[in-house]
């Protein structure tokens, strides 16, 4: 090997690099770099033509500067010039610069393509490799168009040099990934597969990456690769350690190629051909055997290379999941690694064993290592290894060892790293529920969980424990007793107070016989925590108090006293104040019977998939099931019934079958979208439910003067209703409602629509009969919307039907193409009183649009036809994908969109407060990326996003300039489509 | 596949970076700083594989240099770990006892070597002789 001098001939470069190294501060470095950039710029711009050597030197300097983290916005042309040089070193630097710095949409692509074309036809293998390599790195559409036809030919041609074949394989892989439609493998398939037989190991190594990718996409066409891969693997595995010469790495024959062959086989099920399968099993056995042989070298490289193959072989065995013998051997091998002194091996063994635990053949074998794994959880010094141990314990858990594992996980939680606590909590909660034989154990476990890691116990977990306690009456007394005891602790977590409030409110009577937990003691205990709690918990406690009044009349006076105190009835928080007032009134006016009906015990929850499991699925990690498509959509949860701000205990108002408030909607895993055809409904105000359920006799005199209780009146009694759908004689309804044609949209339809521009969930519409809740999720050009129609009356709706139509404007397009494709199924024609029905709409955005689709709802209420039309809140911004970009890019694109019709601008007065956080939340809700540090004026907001429609993508930029003094905004939208700019501008002007 | 290869010194300065998936410059700086934080302060007895966002980092420590490779799930951790060592051995062979300075001053050659080994995020060549073949040819040319 020649001695290599510093900088190898490019003295200027060496000097520059030395200067940079000698810089004492970051400022000095930046100064030196700026000086050099100025120098290079002047050289490139100068009159004197630069020779190849100088160009190479300067381009090299630019590369170095780029590496240091500085943007390079010139020199591309000089680099392209270097491509046509005949000197290898110059050409190489040119290609390197382009590979590293040119992105796929550069305007230079055409010039680069020309250079590549020349090099590909040069028949000089080193030039060809450089060119192929460049295509593989840039991989743009234009390159694919220019070369996708030629590369397969180069790859399989008999006279192509090996090194060129290697580059061609990887190049084709890149083109296939970026433009699969242009890479037509058809006639080449079999010859590409046969590259697995190539004499040259390097070619096989390169080709296998290509074949693996193609096999994943078209398994059937590439099926023949299985037998070829097996025979190749077999030859490698059985070769002596010196056979493969330079492809042997520390006495291990071709470790990288072996791993890749084993990976390729994991794309397929076990081979059907007996001979092939036999040969493969033999290979796998040999690999397992070799692990037991004494090492051929003491070097760690030897054992690492060997183990790399071993782990890959075990992955394949687990993937096949059909050879009990091999599975058990794999498990034993991993068991050995669990105690190995190399941390890396312990980590990989834990990870691998986790997948092994789910196989029925090896589950028992995995379980025998429980003590080692528990020990790892306790003693490993690396959090990622401990995390793997926790995952494995979770995976190996079953009824036989659940108590031990849960206990160990709980004790680990006390010291666990903060980063993994939440996931641990979820896992403990799931295991405790899944394997609970004895529910008192379950209750203990969850309460312990709250005690140990209360901050990490998410709502799903404590909702779930309540759900289970309510559904199982054998555990209710125990739960009440335990939670009562837990609350004795001087400092207990707020989540404990929530569970306590709920459970004692429901089942406190079960322990009230004991004088130590008499009703008043229970109440005083709960109330002693009240002032330390947040608003939602206090709200929950207030509900528990009203339940106490029902359960224990003797506490009524004390509790009324509390409710009446100024700190409750005049609380500055509206929710708390309202509750205090309503509960106080309820307790004083309602008869015992009415109160008992209103506050009847919670009915059992329908069995659904545990929402905790759903939550865990969203977290990554082994044992997690892939997330279904929409589950991780833009927005989560979202209060469905507009009652979201009522705190998690609206369900506390457990009327016999009313009220499915938002939290329990979550609790029931509504996200999984099981149709809730006859699920109970909730309406905005608690008291509407209360009284409509408790019979029409309820609204008694003396109530009407109370402002809060105005809603109480039965719909029929409201003579001054503003709502056209008011029930009554049909002649009192406007003419349109009598007709069977869909009514024109409501006057307030636009206003309702505007409320949903920046949010996806909420109550779209509500009158005295009907409430319509919406929950929606969007991804790219697709959306899914759940509509919940709640019957607020106690009378059945008949002939209930809904239709969604796209307005006329859309149909007047020249092409008979609707911009939105909305699909849904009809809803059940009968909606019982108090029930809620759900409808799912699947929405596809074909092209941009301005008019929202219309939703028409018709039904009969007491004989009168109700007919109303709303605008569905599907607006163009729902299809935004946020785009992050730097200031420089933003303004460059801003300038590119400078044609007058591309811009829409409005100046308008602020309709709402100009609070920064509120504005930000709205802009984020819009779906765009909110770009920080882009606008020179920090008061302004700029956003960027791409609207995804099926036919095209429309990039949009937004700038909102508030003027706090004048309480005005200037809003500017620029996009590549004039209709989009205008529509967005119109929509947004209503939002601020 | 391999997402990137980084060579970083103990002070956290990037000495070589090669990305096989486009990453915006701004995010690059953040990523490199993050990766350095994630790997440099780990102790010897900690595992060489670090979970980072939705992928993994495999790192190896040599004297003053750290080599960090970002990989997706489809790569075998140990084989990448040894690939790093193979790369270092090739550099060592070419530069006869490679140092951080060799890498700084011969960025183009180091890139060439790396490109012979990994293309487009996949291993293409593992034989040391063949990896060095183009460079050797070049050097002979320069000498003659």
């Amino acid at each position: 090997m020649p001695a290599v001098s510093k900088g190898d001939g490019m003295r200027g470069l060496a000097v520059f690099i030395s200067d940079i190294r000698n810089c004492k501060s970051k400022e000095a470095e930046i100064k030196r770099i700026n000086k050099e950039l100025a120098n290079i710029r002047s050289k490139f711009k100068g009159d004197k033509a630069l020779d190849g050597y100088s160009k190479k030197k300067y381009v090299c300097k630019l590369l170095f500067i780029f590496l240091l983290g500085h943007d390079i916005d010139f020199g591309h042309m000089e680099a392209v010039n270097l491509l046509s040089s005949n000197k290898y070193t110059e050409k190489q630097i040119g290609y390197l610069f382009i590979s590293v710095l040119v992105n796929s949409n550069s305007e230079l692509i055409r010039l680069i393509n020309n250079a590549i074309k020349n090099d590909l036809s040069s028949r000089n293998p080193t030039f060809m490799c450089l060119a192929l390599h460049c295509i593989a790195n840039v991989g743009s559409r234009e390159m694919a168009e220019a070369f996708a036809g030629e590369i397969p030919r180069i790859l399989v041609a008999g006279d192509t040099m090996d090194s060129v074949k290697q580059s061609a394989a990887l190049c084709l892989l890149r083109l296939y990934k970026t433009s699969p439609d242009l890479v037509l493998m058809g006639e080449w398939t079999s010859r590409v597969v046969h590259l697995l037989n190539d004499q040259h190991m390097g070619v096989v190594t390169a080709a296998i990456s290509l074949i693996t990718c193609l096999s994943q996409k078209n398994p059937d066409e590439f099926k023949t690769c299985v037998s070829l891969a097996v025979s190749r693997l077999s030859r490698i595995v059985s070769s002596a350690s010196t056979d493969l010469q330079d492809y042997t790495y520390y006495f291990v024959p071709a470790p990288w190629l072996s791993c890749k062959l084993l990976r390729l086989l994991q794309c397929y099920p076990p081979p059907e051909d007996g001979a092939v399968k036999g040969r493969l099993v033999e290979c796998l056995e040999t690999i397992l055997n070799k692990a037991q042989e004494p090492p051929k070298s003491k070097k760690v490289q030897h054992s690492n290379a060997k183990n790399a193959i071993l782990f890959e072989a075990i992955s394949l065995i687990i993937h096949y999941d059909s050879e009990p013998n091999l599975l058990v051997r794999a498990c034993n091998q991993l068991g050995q690694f669990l105690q190995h002194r190399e941390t890396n091996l312990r980590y990989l063994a834990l990870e691998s064993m986790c997948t092994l635990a789910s196989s029925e053949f090896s589950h028992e074998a995995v379980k025998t290592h429980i003590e080692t794994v528990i020990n790892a959880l306790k003693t490993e010094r690396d959090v990622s290894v401990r995390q793997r141990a926790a995952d494995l314990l979770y995976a190996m858990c079953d009824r036989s060892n659940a108590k031990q594992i849960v206990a160990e996980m709980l004790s680990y939680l006390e010291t666990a790293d903060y980063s993994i606590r939440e996931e641990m909590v979820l896992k403990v909660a799931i295991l405790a529920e899944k394997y609970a034989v004895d529910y008192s154990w379950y209750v203990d476990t969850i309460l312990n969980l709250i005690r140990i890691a209360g901050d990490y116990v998410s709502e799903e977990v404590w909702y779930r424990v309540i759900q289970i306690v309510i559904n199982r009456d054998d555990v209710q007394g125990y739960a009440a007793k335990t939670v009562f005891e837990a609350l004795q602790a001087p400092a207990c977590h707020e989540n404990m107070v929530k569970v306590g409030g709920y459970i004692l409110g429901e089942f406190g009577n079960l322990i009230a016989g004991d004088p130590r937990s008499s009703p008043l003691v229970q109440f005083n205990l709960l109330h002693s925590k009240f002032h330390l709690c947040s608003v939602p918990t206090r709200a929950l406690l207030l509900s528990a108090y009203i339940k106490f009044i029902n359960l224990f009349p003797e506490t009524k006076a004390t509790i009324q006293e509390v409710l009446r105190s100024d700190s409750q009835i005049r609380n500055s928080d509206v929710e708390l104040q309202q509750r205090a007032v309503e509960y106080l009134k309820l307790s004083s006016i309602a008869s015992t019977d009415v109160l008992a009906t209103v506050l009847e015990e919670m009915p059992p929850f329908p069995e659904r998939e545990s929402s905790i499991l759903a939550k865990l699925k969203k977290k990554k990690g082994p044992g997690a099931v892939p997330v279904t498509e929409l589950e991780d959509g833009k927005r989560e949860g979202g209060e469905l019934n507009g009652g979201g701000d009522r705190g998690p205990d609206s369900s506390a108002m457990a009327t016999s079958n009313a009220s499915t408030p938002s939290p329990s909607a979550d609790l029931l895993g509504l996200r999984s979208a099981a149709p809730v055809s006859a699920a109970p409904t909730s309406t905005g105000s608690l008291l509407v439910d209360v009284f409509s359920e408790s019979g029409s006799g309820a609204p008694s005199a003396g109530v009407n003067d109370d402002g809060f209780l105005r809603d109480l009146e039965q719909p029929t009694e409201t003579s001054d209703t503003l709502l056209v759908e008011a029930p009554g004689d049909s002649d009192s309804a406007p003419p349109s409602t009598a007709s069977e044609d869909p009514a024109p949209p409501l006057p307030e339809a636009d206003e309702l629509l505007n409320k949903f521009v920046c949010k996806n969930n909420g109550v779209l519409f509500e009158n005295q009969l009907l409430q319509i809740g919406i929950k929606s999720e969007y991804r790219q050009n697709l959306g899914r919307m759940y509509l919940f129609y709640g019957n607020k009356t106690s009378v059945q709706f008949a002939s209930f039907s809904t239709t969604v139509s796209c307005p006329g404007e859309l149909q007047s397009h020249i092409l008979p193409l609707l911009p939105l494709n909305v699909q849904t199924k009809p809803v059940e024609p009968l909606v019982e009183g108090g029930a809620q029905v759900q409808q799912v709409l699947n929405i596809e955005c074909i092209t941009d649009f301005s008019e929202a689709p219309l939703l028409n709802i018709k039904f009969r209420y007491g004989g009168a036809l109700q007919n109303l039309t709303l605008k569905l809140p599907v607006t163009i911004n729902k299809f935004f994908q946020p785009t992050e970009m730097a200031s420089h890019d933003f303004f460059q694109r801003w300038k590119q969109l400078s044609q007058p019709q591309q811009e829409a601008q409005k100046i308008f007065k602020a309709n709402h407060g100009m609070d920064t956080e509120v504005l930000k939340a709205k802009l984020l809700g819009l779906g765009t990326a909110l770009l920080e540090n882009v606008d020179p004026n920090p008061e302004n907001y700029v956003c960027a996003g791409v609207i995804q429609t099926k036919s095209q993508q429309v990039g949009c930029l937004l700038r909102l300039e508030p003027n706090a003094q004048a309480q005005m905004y200037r809003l500017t939208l620029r996009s590549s489509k004039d209709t989009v700019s205008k529509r967005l501008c119109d929509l947004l002007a209503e939002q601020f | 596949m391999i997402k990137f290869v980084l060579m970083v010194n103990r002070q956290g300065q990037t000495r070589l970076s090669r990305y096989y998936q486009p990453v915006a410059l701004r995010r690059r700086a953040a990523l490199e700083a993050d990766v350095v934080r994630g790997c440099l302060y780990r102790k010897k007895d900690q595992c060489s594989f670090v979970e980072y966002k939705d992928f993994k980092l495999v790192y190896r420590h040599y004297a003053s240099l750290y080599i960090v490779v970002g990989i997706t799930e489809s790569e075998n951790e140990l084989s990448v770990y040894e690939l790093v060592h193979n790369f270092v051995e090739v550099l060592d062979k070419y530069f006869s006892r490679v140092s951080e300075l060799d890498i700084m001053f011969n960025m183009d050659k180091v890139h060439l070597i790396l490109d012979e080994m990994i293309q487009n995020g996949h291993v293409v060549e593992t034989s040391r002789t063949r990896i060095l073949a183009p460079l050797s040819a070049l050097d002979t040319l320069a000498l003659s």
Side-chain angles (χ1 to χ4, degrees):
Chain A
M1 214 35 51
V4 181
S5 59
K6 280 182 187 172
D8 198 25
M10 285 190 278
R11 220 178 72 82
L13 177 67
V15 169
F16 174 59
I17 294 176
S18 301
D19 283 359
I20 293 288
R21 284 194 63 226
N22 293 335
C23 283
K24 293 277 181 294
S25 65
K26 194 77 194 159
E27 289 71 37
E29 185 184 304
I30 291 174
K31 213 172 146 197
R32 180 66 185 90
I33 287 170
N34 284 337
K35 186 179 151 206
E36 193 61 41
L37 284 174
N39 171 42
I40 300 171
R41 224 184 274 267
S42 72
K43 293 281 192 230
F44 284 170
K45 278 203 184 132
D47 314 325
K48 239 174 56 193
L50 293 173
D51 58 7
Y53 167 79
S54 311
K55 270 189 212 155
K56 175 181 118 179
K57 183 176 74 185
Y58 293 128
V59 168
C60 235
K61 282 183 181 177
L62 289 178
L63 265 172
F64 187 77
I65 294 171
F66 180 73
L67 173 77
L68 294 172
H70 298 264
D71 204 0
I72 300 295
D73 53 6
F74 68 103
H76 299 72
M77 206 53 201
E78 285 72 16
V80 172
N81 287 341
L82 284 176
L83 298 185
S84 45
S85 163
N86 280 328
K87 288 215 177 79
Y88 181 77
T89 51
E90 290 170 14
K91 200 185 268 290
Q92 184 235 337
I93 293 293
Y95 273 122
L96 182 61
F97 185 91
I98 283 158
S99 298
V100 171
L101 264 140
V102 173
N103 54 25
S104 49
N105 50 21
S106 164
E107 302 131 29
L108 293 169
I109 292 284
R110 202 159 309 149
L111 291 171
I112 298 169
N113 275 359
N114 270 336
I116 290 176
K117 201 166 282 171
N118 289 335
D119 283 333
L120 282 184
S121 52
S122 70
R123 317 216 32 94
N124 175 336
T126 43
F127 288 5
M128 285 173 86
C129 281
L130 284 175
L132 288 167
H133 201 169
C134 179
I135 304 174
N137 275 307
V138 180
S140 73
R141 182 86 195 159
E142 272 170 294
M143 281 191 176
E145 279 165 1
F147 303 110
E150 195 173 346
I151 299 199
R153 205 170 309 132
I154 297 177
L155 176 60
V156 298
D159 58 347
T160 306
M161 297 274 291
D162 293 331
S163 58
V164 178
K165 275 191 195 169
Q166 284 170 284
S167 297
L170 268 302
C171 177
L172 196 57
L173 171 58
R174 173 62 189 260
L175 296 185
Y176 182 75
K177 275 188 183 163
T178 48
S179 315
D181 53 317
L182 294 176
V183 179
L184 304 169
M185 291 310 298
E187 46 180 320
W188 310 112
T189 305
S190 124
R191 296 175 72 179
V192 168
V193 172
H194 275 86
L195 289 172
L196 287 175
N197 260 341
D198 200 283
Q199 286 185 325
H200 194 283
M201 302 280 273
V203 173
V204 186
T205 308
I208 197 163
S209 292
L210 173 66
I211 295 168
T212 305
C213 174
L214 291 168
S215 297
Q216 279 162 348
K217 297 278 158 54
N218 330 282
D220 285 338
E221 288 161 52
F222 285 83
K223 217 164 41 190
T224 46
C225 72
V226 172
S227 61
L228 289 173
V230 170
S231 65
R232 188 90 213 192
L233 180 69
S234 160
R235 270 180 279 158
I236 295 173
V237 169
S238 57
S239 64
S241 51
T242 48
D243 285 0
L244 302 172
Q245 293 158 354
D246 215 13
Y247 287 93
T248 297
Y249 178 80
Y250 287 90
F251 303 102
V252 181
W256 293 281
L257 181 54
S258 305
C259 286
K260 285 179 145 203
L261 285 164
L262 289 161
R263 241 329 126 108
L264 170 61
L265 291 171
Q266 288 171 57
C267 301
Y268 288 93
E272 285 157 16
D273 181 329
V276 177
K277 190 172 178 190
R279 205 164 173 197
L280 178 58
V281 169
E282 212 171 279
C283 284
L284 295 171
E285 277 170 348
T286 314
I287 294 171
L288 285 168
N289 291 341
K290 278 191 183 170
Q292 301 300 329
E293 288 168 10
K296 292 200 178 69
S297 154
K298 284 212 166 63
K299 286 265 170 61
V300 66
Q301 284 81 5
H302 170 72
S303 59
N304 278 340
K306 209 163 88 171
N307 291 332
I309 302 173
L310 181 58
F311 275 110
E312 209 56 65
I314 291 177
S315 292
L316 182 64
I317 293 170
I318 297 172
H319 168 77
Y320 285 164
D321 197 13
S322 60
E323 299 287 325
N325 173 36
L326 287 176
L327 282 162
V328 170
R329 283 193 67 185
C331 184
N332 293 340
Q333 182 60 55
L334 293 176
Q336 284 182 18
F337 284 151
L338 286 183
Q339 316 212 32
H340 201 280
R341 61 189 158 77
E342 286 270 330
T343 313
N344 290 347
L345 289 182
R346 295 198 303 273
Y347 171 89
L348 293 172
L350 287 165
E351 190 179 59
S352 189
M353 216 177 230
C354 211
T355 47
L356 206 52
S358 56
S359 161
E360 55 169 316
F361 299 113
S362 50
H363 184 76
E364 287 304 316
V366 170
K367 271 167 62 186
T368 59
H369 300 286
I370 185 165
E371 296 302 333
T372 321
V373 182
I374 288 173
N375 197 38
L377 187 65
K378 287 180 179 159
T379 57
E380 281 292 348
R381 293 164 73 178
D382 188 338
V383 54
S384 46
V385 185
R386 288 197 296 273
Q387 165 98 62
R388 289 287 145 265
D391 285 344
L392 178 53
L393 282 179
Y394 178 74
M396 66 162 72
C397 189
D398 62 16
R399 213 169 281 280
S400 72
N401 55 19
K403 283 201 177 172
Q404 185 189 9
I405 286 179
V406 165
E408 292 295 347
M409 286 173 103
L410 270 177
S411 79
Y412 173 59
L413 251 180
E414 305 209 38
T415 52
D417 311 74
Y418 296 107
S419 55
I420 63 173
R421 282 193 183 187
E422 194 188 351
E423 196 180 325
M424 290 286 294
V425 166
L426 290 175
K427 286 184 164 162
V428 170
I430 290 168
L431 292 179
E433 183 188 334
K434 196 167 167 193
Y435 298 114
V437 185
D438 147 17
Y439 277 87
S440 56
W441 172 71
Y442 169 75
V443 170
D444 284 342
T445 304
I446 302 294
L447 293 185
N448 264 330
L449 209 50
I450 296 176
R451 198 176 47 75
I452 294 169
D455 283 343
Y456 298 89
V457 172
S458 56
E459 292 189 329
E460 287 87 347
V461 174
W462 73 262
Y463 290 166
R464 187 73 184 161
V465 69
I466 286 170
Q467 198 179 5
I468 285 176
V469 169
I470 284 172
N471 286 10
R472 307 196 62 94
D473 41 18
D474 51 333
V475 77
Q476 289 162 355
Y478 181 79
K481 180 169 156 286
T482 323
V483 80
F484 177 78
E485 279 161 11
L487 284 173
Q488 304 287 339
C492 58
H493 195 271
E494 193 165 332
N495 279 335
M496 190 69 89
V497 179
K498 289 179 185 163
V499 175
Y502 203 108
I503 291 198
L504 293 181
E506 290 287 323
F507 308 113
N509 54 329
L510 299 176
I511 55 167
D514 188 327
R516 284 167 300 173
S517 52
S518 71
L520 264 179
V521 174
Q522 287 184 37
F523 169 74
N524 287 331
L525 179 62
L526 282 179
H527 199 55
S528 69
K529 316 283 181 196
F530 187 89
H531 301 281
L532 301 170
C533 292
S534 63
V535 168
T537 308
R538 289 189 199 188
L540 184 148
L541 286 176
L542 288 178
S543 297
Y545 297 169
I546 185 79
K547 293 188 208 169
F548 267 49
I549 294 184
N550 173 46
L551 290 176
F552 317 116
E554 66 265 38
T555 60
K556 182 168 171 177
T558 317
I559 292 175
Q560 279 186 333
E561 197 54 45
V562 168
L563 292 175
R564 203 175 287 127
S565 72
D566 277 357
S567 63
Q568 308 295 354
I569 211 157
R570 294 186 188 199
N571 195 296
S572 60
D573 184 273
V574 174
E575 176 65 33
L576 292 180
Q577 190 187 83
Q578 183 173 358
R579 282 188 193 223
V581 170
E582 289 181 355
Y583 292 160
L584 185 60
K585 205 80 191 171
L586 181 64
S587 67
S588 43
I589 59 164
S591 68
T592 336
D593 288 351
V594 170
L595 203 59
T597 320
V598 170
L599 298 165
E600 197 172 298
E601 209 174 273
M602 279 295 282
F605 288 89
E607 281 305 325
R608 295 270 173 81
E609 182 197 28
S610 158
S611 52
I612 310 178
L613 206 55
K615 175 150 185 175
L616 185 68
K617 280 181 194 166
K618 281 201 248 161
K619 293 190 150 285
K620 74 181 189 78
V625 183
V627 181
T628 57
E629 196 191 335
L630 272 166
E631 221 167 27
D632 54 350
K634 270 190 195 162
R635 247 351 126 72
E636 280 306 309
E639 278 73 29
L640 209 46
N641 292 312
D645 49 352
R646 316 204 122 243
D649 73 322
S650 324
S651 54
M653 291 302 288
T655 62
S656 57
N657 69 346
S659 174
T660 306
S662 51
S664 61
D666 258 356
L667 184 60
L668 298 178
L670 204 64
R671 244 191 311 255
S672 59
V676 259
S677 52
T681 180
S682 113
T683 50
S685 161
L686 285 174
L687 286 173
V688 171
D689 282 356
V690 170
F691 284 90
S692 58
E693 284 304 320
S694 58
S696 54
S700 46
V703 187
N704 294 347
D705 54 343
D706 191 316
F708 279 113
L709 299 180
R710 235 182 307 128
D711 286 347
L712 286 179
E713 295 169 23
Q714 288 286 297
T716 41
E717 291 167 41
T718 44
S719 49
D720 58 342
T721 177
L722 296 168
L723 296 147
V724 289
E725 301 78 23
D729 301 329
S730 55
D731 60 2
S732 75
S736 67
T737 57
S739 142
E740 287 284 332
D741 292 333
L746 294 177
E748 67 269 32
D750 277 314
E751 204 181 305
L752 297 173
L753 176 84
N754 280 330
K755 286 203 297 190
F756 283 83
V757 170
C758 295
K759 63 174 188 175
N760 286 336
N761 305 316
V763 175
L764 174 65
F765 172 79
E766 180 158 14
N767 65 16
Q768 287 169 325
L769 304 179
L770 178 71
Q771 185 196 50
I772 306 176
I774 279 198
K775 205 177 142 171
S776 49
E777 303 161 308
Y778 294 87
R779 170 178 281 189
Q780 298 187 330
N781 69 324
L782 300 176
R784 183 173 295 167
M785 181 178 278
Y786 300 94
L787 291 166
F788 300 90
Y789 305 100
N791 180 347
K792 287 172 62 176
T793 72
S794 49
V795 182
Q796 184 189 64
F797 292 164
S799 320
F800 190 87
S801 71
T802 65
T803 36
V804 176
S805 57
C806 294
E809 181 234 31
L810 304 179
Q811 282 148 10
S812 67
H813 272 246
I814 304 165
L815 294 166
L817 172 81
L818 288 178
L820 280 175
N821 178 6
V822 181
Q823 302 211 327
T824 185
K825 289 195 183 117
V827 287
E828 288 294 316
L830 290 182
V831 184
E832 295 298 333
Q836 186 185 58
V837 294
Q838 177 188 304
Q839 184 175 28
V840 185
L841 307 181
N842 287 314
I843 302 159
E844 181 184 25
C845 179
I846 310 290
T847 177
D848 74 283
F849 62 95
S850 301
E851 286 295 313
L854 297 175
L855 170 70
N856 175 256
I857 300 143
K858 278 186 233 160
F859 60 93
R860 287 190 178 274
Y861 172 75
L865 177 72
Q866 307 294 322
N867 182 349
L868 71 150
T869 303
L870 296 162
K871 292 193 174 178
L872 269 185
V874 181
T875 45
I876 186 70
N877 64 295
K878 301 291 178 194
F879 303 97
F880 257 129
Q881 291 278 107
T883 317
E884 294 287 348
M885 57 178 85
S887 179
H888 169 79
D889 295 333
F890 183 87
F891 285 105
Q892 194 177 356
R893 289 183 202 192
W894 186 263
K895 279 185 205 119
Q896 282 166 1
L897 297 169
S898 57
Q899 291 172 29
Q901 70 273 22
Q902 291 175 326
E903 180 178 289
Q905 192 174 69
K906 272 196 179 175
I907 297 171
F908 53 93
K909 226 172 164 46
N911 289 318
H912 308 280
M914 298 181 84
D915 180 68
T916 320
E917 291 309 312
V918 176
L919 281 178
K920 280 187 182 167
K922 281 190 178 167
L923 288 169
L924 284 173
L926 182 70
T928 51
L930 182 58
L931 305 175
E932 306 278 357
N933 306 325
V934 167
D935 201 293
N937 179 350
E939 300 295 310
N940 294 345
Y941 302 90
V942 292
C943 300
V946 177
I947 289 180
Q948 306 275 347
T949 75
K950 194 182 178 190
S951 58
Q952 66 185 133
Q953 301 188 336
V954 187
C956 302
L957 303 175
L958 177 158
R959 191 176 194 194
L960 181 69
E961 298 158 274
N963 180 340
Q965 260 182 337
Q967 289 286 303
M968 299 282 283
Y969 290 103
R970 179 163 69 187
L971 171 70
T972 316
L973 260 301
R974 286 190 178 183
S975 80
S976 46
K977 220 169 161 195
D978 53 343
T979 47
V980 172
S981 302
K982 177 155 188 329
R983 178 61 181 157
L984 282 173
C985 195
D986 290 347
L987 280 173
L988 277 173
E990 301 295 324
Q991 298 299 318
F992 301 107
Chain B
M1 71 175 283
I2 296 169
K3 291 165 94 90
F4 56 79
V5 177
L6 293 179
M7 292 176 102
V8 190
N9 68 7
R10 213 193 282 273
Q11 289 75 45
Q13 293 163 311
T14 308
R15 287 303 176 225
L16 183 103
S17 68
R18 194 78 161 97
Y19 289 83
Y20 300 103
Q21 276 177 350
V23 178
L25 186 70
R26 192 166 51 87
R27 289 197 39 227
R28 242 176 232 220
L31 179 101
E32 283 169 26
D34 232 23
V35 164
V36 167
R37 254 198 305 278
C39 299
L40 255 58
Y41 303 110
R42 289 172 70 85
K43 297 193 193 71
K44 261 221 141 89
D45 60 355
Q46 288 192 296
C47 155
S48 316
F49 318 124
V50 185
E51 278 153 60
Y52 178 77
K53 297 194 177 156
D54 58 342
F55 57 99
K56 273 189 190 170
L57 306 173
V58 174
Y59 74 95
R60 222 166 157 151
H61 179 195
Y62 296 92
S64 65
L65 270 188
Y66 284 78
I67 299 182
V68 188
V69 185
I71 56 167
T72 62
E73 239 173 66
S74 61
E75 286 295 327
N76 176 311
E77 292 94 342
L78 274 180
S79 85
V80 172
Y81 187 71
E82 284 311 314
L83 185 72
V84 170
H85 189 71
N86 199 21
F87 174 50
V88 172
E89 286 195 352
V90 173
L91 292 178
D92 204 55
K93 189 170 169 190
Y94 182 73
F95 291 106
S96 39
R97 299 200 62 76
V98 65
S99 72
E100 185 184 338
L101 289 186
D102 292 322
I103 290 164
M104 274 187 91
F105 284 105
N106 297 285
M107 192 178 53
D108 50 335
K109 300 220 165 64
V110 178
H111 266 292
L112 228 155
I113 290 174
L114 188 61
D115 284 357
E116 286 297 317
M117 296 184 71
I118 304 173
Q119 279 181 25
N120 195 13
H122 296 272
V123 183
V124 277
E125 187 54 81
T126 59
S127 147
R128 273 168 240 171
T129 332
R130 287 195 27 100
I131 292 166
L132 286 176
L135 263 184
S136 311
L138 211 67
D139 291 331
T140 341
L141 214 70
L143 284 179
S144 62

